[in-house]
């Protein structure tokens, strides 16, 4: 029963960039509906860990499961490493939402087309139905009136909300956020965090890399502090932000708080 | 005739260029090496030599007998393909990696990403060099007159020898080339404006 409640399971994951050991034996479990916040200085591996979860980066050893299914590769009972064929991997990926620091909206498509694209191409949803879903998702993030606009006409905050709607249209089981507010002007951060907070309230499972400690405190169920590719410390926001145990976490938090 | 040759050769060039450009970017040497060889071969030999070689040598070497116009179109198309391969490669490599990643993260396959995201975005940056190449091709098509294909230049030569008026005839031919090329660049500028409307 406990297995069933798990959304993400990361088992002894190692990742190298050439000789640089960026993730060292990472173990992580995220339950359904849980919001986990990853913090740590740059180069600590938090973004890499996030990217490994939907296989944008390959891992060198270990295994990652999302909703009980291995992502990308796994080791079978005979100890042989198996890889997902591309078609299967794409299907799995389409149910893992990813929001990037630099929004990455498709510049040559309108807001509506951005949200519809994966529905029509990956899930083969008929156009009319896809449009309906897309409009609904845009309403969800409060941008239905920007439907016909191109991304370049929107503010950074609006672009990021469209990016969130684009992911939500695929009915993801899990949402990954990679510093979603780091590229935004300070006055635009609020609207994106608000959208994310609403999403968390609706019960979405989320893993968030962020420097927004206010968000981490209010919305996060758990905070993980990464350092040199290791989860050095973890705890509830209250424990982590007020009484960090390790010196490194103390030093990091004193800089960002 | 000039326009027909240019259009068909351009179509061939685009097709081969896209494939060669993609192969050149491939991580696998089996794809990239032949593509590099092809591009270098056609970029580093004169068009006229390629034309003559394909017309005279190909039949001897492979017993492949072609009418002059076919070999002309083939030669010009292969030549344009060599240049266009580079245009495609540069255009595709200039596409923002983030948008490609976003498409992959949404579950689009390699091919779907290329078709829906990478190529449409790349075309915007490729348009100016692409027009250059079309204009070059239109002008290079005058070379086919050497093989007796009745294009604009060949006709001009015939008329000039019949009328003994080389100045008027060749000036008229030059003006015609000029007008054709100018129209081409205007069409390109217009379509570029429409394509980048999103900026």
């Amino acid at each position: 029963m406990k297995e069933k409640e798990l959304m993400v399971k990361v088992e002894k994951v190692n990742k190298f960039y050439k000789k640089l050991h960026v993730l060292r034996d990472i173990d992580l479990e995220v339950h359904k509906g849980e919001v986990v916040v990853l913090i740590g200085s740059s180069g600590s591996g938090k973004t890499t860990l996030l990217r490994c979860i939907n296989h944008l980066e390959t891992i060198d050893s270990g295994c990652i499961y999302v909703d009980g299914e291995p992502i990308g590769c796994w080791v079978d009972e005979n100890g042989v490493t198996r890889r997902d064929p591309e078609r299967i991997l794409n299907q799995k990926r389409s149910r893992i939402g990813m929001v990037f620091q630099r929004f990455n909206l498709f510049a040559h498509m309108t807001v509506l087309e951005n949200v519809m694209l994966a529905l029509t191409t990956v899930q083969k949803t008929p156009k009319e139905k896809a449009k309906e879903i897309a409009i609904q998702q845009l309403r969800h993030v409060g941008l239905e009136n920007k439907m016909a606009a191109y991304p370049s006409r929107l503010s950074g905050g609006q672009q990021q909300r469209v990016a969130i709607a684009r992911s939500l249209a695929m009915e993801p089981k899990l949402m990954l956020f990679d510093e979603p507010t780091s590229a935004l002007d300070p006055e635009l951060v609020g609207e994106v965090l608000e959208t994310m907070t609403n999403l968390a309230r609706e019960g979405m499972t989320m893993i968030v890399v962020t420097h927004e400690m206010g968000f981490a405190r209010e919305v996060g169920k758990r905070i993980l502090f990464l350092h040199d590719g290791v989860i050095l410390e973890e705890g509830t926001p209250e424990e982590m932000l007020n009484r960090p145990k390790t010196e490194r976490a103390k030093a990091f938090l004193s800089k960002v708080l | 005739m000039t326009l027909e040759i240019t259009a068909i050769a351009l179509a061939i060039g685009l097709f081969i260029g896209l494939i060669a450009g993609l192969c050149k970017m491939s991580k696998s040497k089996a794809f990239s090496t032949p593509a590099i060889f092809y591009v270098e071969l056609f970029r580093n030999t004169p068009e006229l030599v390629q034309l003559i070689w394909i017309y005279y040598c190909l039949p001897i070497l492979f017993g492949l007998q072609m009418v002059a116009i076919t070999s002309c179109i083939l030669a010009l198309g292969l030549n344009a393909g060599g240049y266009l391969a580079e245009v495609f490669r540069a255009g595709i490599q200039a596409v923002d990696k983030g948008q490609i990643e976003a498409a992959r993260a949404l579950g689009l396959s390699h091919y779907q990403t290329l078709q829906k995201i990478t190529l449409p975005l790349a075309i915007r940056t490729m348009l100016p060099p692409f027009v250059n190449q079309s204009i070059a091709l239109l002008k290079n098509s005058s070379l086919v007159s050497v093989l007796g294909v009745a294009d604009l230049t060949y006709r001009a030569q015939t008329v000039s020898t019949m009328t003994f008026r080389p100045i008027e005839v060749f000036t008229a031919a030059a003006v015609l080339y000029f007008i054709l090329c100018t129209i081409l660049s205007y069409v390109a500028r217009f379509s570029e404006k429409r394509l980048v409307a999103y900026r």
Side-chain angles (χ1 to χ4, degrees):
Chain A
M1 192 62 206
K2 194 171 172 280
E3 274 297 307
K4 258 191 139 180
E5 298 284 303
L6 272 186
M7 180 52 80
V8 181
K9 188 171 173 177
V10 175
E11 256 178 9
K12 291 220 173 318
V13 162
N14 280 282
K15 164 87 186 159
F16 295 85
Y17 285 126
K18 301 266 166 64
K19 280 194 177 144
L20 193 66
H21 202 166
V22 275
L23 296 178
R24 299 166 191 261
D25 275 335
I26 295 266
D27 283 311
L28 168 66
E29 289 187 349
V30 180
H31 294 270
K32 281 188 183 160
E34 198 180 18
V35 177
V36 171
V37 177
L38 302 180
I39 59 171
S41 45
S42 73
S44 58
K46 52 195 192 316
T47 291
T48 308
L49 175 59
L50 204 65
R51 291 166 58 87
C52 285
I53 294 176
N54 73 352
H55 210 68
L56 277 180
E57 305 275 353
T58 54
I59 50 178
D60 293 300
S61 74
C63 203
I64 295 174
Y65 299 88
V66 173
D67 205 16
E69 290 187 84
I71 296 293
C73 55
W74 69 97
V75 178
D76 70 6
E77 57 271 22
N78 303 323
V80 183
T81 305
R82 302 277 194 150
R83 287 191 184 282
D84 273 333
E86 201 194 327
R87 195 173 50 82
I88 304 287
L89 178 62
N90 288 333
Q91 276 303 325
K92 289 179 183 172
R93 252 185 188 154
S94 71
R95 302 296 302 278
I96 304 173
M98 175 103 183
V99 175
F100 299 85
Q101 183 174 353
R102 292 186 51 248
F103 332 130
N104 295 346
L105 292 182
F106 308 129
H108 60 303
M109 296 181 182
T110 63
V111 164
L112 185 67
E113 287 165 347
N114 259 276
V115 183
M116 282 173 62
L117 177 72
L119 286 167
T120 50
T121 51
V122 182
Q123 291 188 346
K124 310 285 181 211
T125 312
K127 257 215 164 103
E128 284 305 307
K129 180 76 185 147
K131 191 172 171 185
E132 210 174 285
I133 296 171
I135 292 173
Q136 195 186 323
Q137 288 303 343
L138 285 169
R139 193 173 298 144
H140 201 137
V141 297
L143 286 172
E144 76 217 89
N145 53 339
K146 297 285 182 191
M147 227 157 58
Y150 282 100
S152 60
R153 298 268 171 258
L154 305 184
S155 73
Q158 290 171 331
Q159 286 190 47
Q160 194 61 298
R161 281 149 63 199
V162 172
I164 294 172
R166 180 173 69 176
S167 288
L168 288 180
M170 301 299 283
E171 298 182 334
K173 303 168 181 174
L174 164 72
M175 287 286 285
L176 308 172
F177 292 85
D178 185 9
E179 302 199 26
T181 57
S182 298
L184 295 176
D185 291 337
E187 77 269 22
L188 302 175
V189 169
E191 59 186 88
V192 172
L193 291 182
E194 195 190 311
T195 307
M196 290 167 63
T197 308
N198 289 337
L199 201 55
R201 295 231 170 89
E202 289 159 19
M204 177 63 74
T205 314
M206 293 160 63
I207 304 180
V208 186
V209 172
T210 187
H211 297 295
E212 293 293 330
M213 294 303 153
F215 174 83
R217 187 189 297 270
E218 272 179 45
V219 185
K221 296 258 169 35
R222 232 182 339 143
I223 299 184
L224 310 185
F225 174 71
L226 267 81
H227 183 80
D228 274 344
V230 184
I231 299 175
L232 204 60
E233 195 176 334
E234 67 166 282
T236 64
E238 208 259 330
E239 288 167 354
M240 277 297 295
L241 299 178
N242 299 340
R243 300 184 298 280
K245 292 193 265 307
T246 57
E247 283 306 314
R248 297 231 188 254
K250 270 181 207 163
F252 175 76
L253 287 167
S254 71
K255 277 181 216 145
V256 292
L257 280 178
Chain B
M1 190 63 103
T2 291
L3 284 179
E4 272 170 39
I5 294 172
T6 308
I8 302 172
L10 192 61
I12 295 174
L14 275 176
F15 182 69
I16 298 177
L18 175 61
I19 293 173
L22 290 176
C23 286
K24 253 195 110 167
M25 283 186 291
S26 163
K27 282 185 200 104
S28 151
K29 281 230 163 73
F31 288 107
S32 63
T33 312
I36 291 169
F37 181 73
Y38 160 69
V39 170
E40 293 306 316
L41 184 69
F42 278 90
R43 285 205 309 177
N44 298 336
T45 50
E47 283 88 359
L48 189 56
V49 174
Q50 293 165 14
L51 204 68
I52 294 172
W53 197 91
I54 287 181
Y55 184 60
Y56 290 109
C57 301
L58 221 53
I60 302 169
L61 286 174
F62 301 104
L64 212 64
Q65 202 55 254
M66 281 182 291
V67 282
I69 185 159
T70 315
S71 56
C72 286
I73 289 172
L74 187 65
L76 289 173
L78 283 170
N79 178 268
Y83 284 94
L84 288 171
E86 283 298 287
V87 173
F88 275 110
R89 187 190 56 79
I92 288 171
Q93 281 179 345
V95 172
D96 171 25
K97 296 287 170 297
Q99 291 180 42
I100 296 172
E101 243 173 23
R104 301 288 286 159
L106 281 168
L108 268 73
S109 71
H110 210 75
Y111 176 72
Q112 286 168 336
T113 307
L114 189 68
Q115 183 199 359
K116 304 274 182 186
I117 309 297
T118 318
L119 283 181
L121 283 170
I123 281 172
R124 276 103 178 141
T125 50
M126 287 179 337
L127 207 63
F130 173 71
V131 174
N132 278 345
Q133 195 52 47
S134 315
I135 290 172
L137 184 58
L138 181 60
K139 290 187 289 184
N140 280 344
S141 74
S142 64
L143 294 172
V144 304
S145 60
V146 174
L147 299 184
V149 175
D151 78 324
L152 182 55
T153 309
Y154 186 85
R155 291 270 163 81
Q157 279 168 347
T158 326
V159 175
S160 147
T161 42
M162 286 193 314
T163 56
F164 303 106
R165 286 182 172 279
I167 297 177
E168 289 88 336
V169 173
F170 283 113
T171 308
V175 168
L176 266 175
Y177 276 113
F178 180 80
I179 291 171
L180 288 175
C181 289
T182 313
I183 291 173
L184 208 56
S185 37
Y186 267 101
V187 170
R189 215 169 301 164
F190 174 73
S191 55
E192 193 182 345
K193 265 198 196 126
R194 282 197 42 176
L195 277 174
V196 298
Y198 65 88
R199 279 201 187 125

